[in-house]
Amino acid sequence: MKHSYIAYIDEAGDDGLSGKYRGLNGQGGASHWLVLTATIWRASRDIDSVRWRDEVISTLGGKFRRDTLHCQNLNHQQRFAAASCLSNKPIRIINILSYKKSIPDGIYREKNQLYFYLCRYLMERISWFCRDQREFVPEGNGKVKIIFSRRGGMSYENFREYLCKLKRDRSVTINWSVLDVDAIDALDHKKRAGLQISDIAATCFSNAVEPDYYGNCEIKYAKKLKPLVYRHNRRFINYGIKVVKGTSAAELSAQQNEFVDLFDVK
């Protein structure tokens, strides 16, 4: 076995920065938040992720095909059931959340520039987790294999080049010894059970901050998945939960503050 860990990455929301954001009643525009999520487990357990995904499908009634399980298509009860199925699995979750309305105009002009920037924070935290868990994961070479859910219009070769540039930036705290940059890959959602699991996690945490049709947020899914969120010295914030630019810039509602408080363990 080559790698010790495997990480699947998906997102919820979009990286649109047009200045026109979605209103109440589903009115057109970009999402308020972009959430990037990684789900991580031992590479030796990757075959188990198929069983975990199939357990979700079975719980939902077995009417979903393996290649069509998208959390955004599930209703509230189904999303909670899916989160409940995953809540006791040997998985760790990392979320990078960006409130796009707080981003000044003109900063991210190039395609995928915001996405790449948020991925930097995700790579940092994936590498920290894998580094710290090495003594408990003796198999493999200590490195993590990263697989993205394929995004249209994104060059993963450009992303690998971006990471190589970050190696020269001393402010970047990625632990390069555990990150296998050359092995980074992207696959269609239906190709891996792990990508479908990461899709569930991304949607569940996005629902805690992105207002729905009626302007409400739902934190019940995040509460159910809290035991899986990466924490360091009992701290979730800035580890498994990272709000880019901090919560003070995000104009959080009472419901969104409840989500932050859920993970702001002192």
Side-chain angles (χ1 to χ4, degrees), residues 138-179:
E139 66 267 23
N141 61 3
K143 295 182 180 291
V144 57
K145 165 76 173 179
I146 293 176
I147 300 178
F148 284 86
S149 182
R150 193 187 306 278
R151 305 175 79 233
M154 178 168 166
S155 166
Y156 293 91
E157 180 60 33
N158 287 347
F159 179 69
R160 284 187 286 269
E161 292 175 0
Y162 170 72
L163 289 179
C164 290
K165 291 179 181 178
L166 290 182
K167 284 187 176 183
R168 300 191 291 271
D169 187 340
R170 293 185 178 182
S171 69
V172 176
T173 58
I174 294 173
N175 188 302
W176 298 104
S177 68
V178 302
L179 195 68

Side-chain angles (χ1 to χ4, degrees), residues 41 48-56 89-91 197:
W41 46 80
D48 295 333
S49 66
V50 177
R51 175 170 52 81
W52 303 337
R53 187 273 317 278
D54 290 349
E55 181 182 335
V56 172
K89 302 298 186 288
I91 298 170
I197 290 171

Side-chain angles (χ1 to χ4, degrees), residues 75-91:
N75 61 33
H76 167 67
Q77 291 85 357
Q78 291 168 330
R79 290 182 186 183
F80 189 77
S84 297
C85 282
L86 298 177
S87 63
N88 63 350
K89 302 298 186 288
I91 298 170

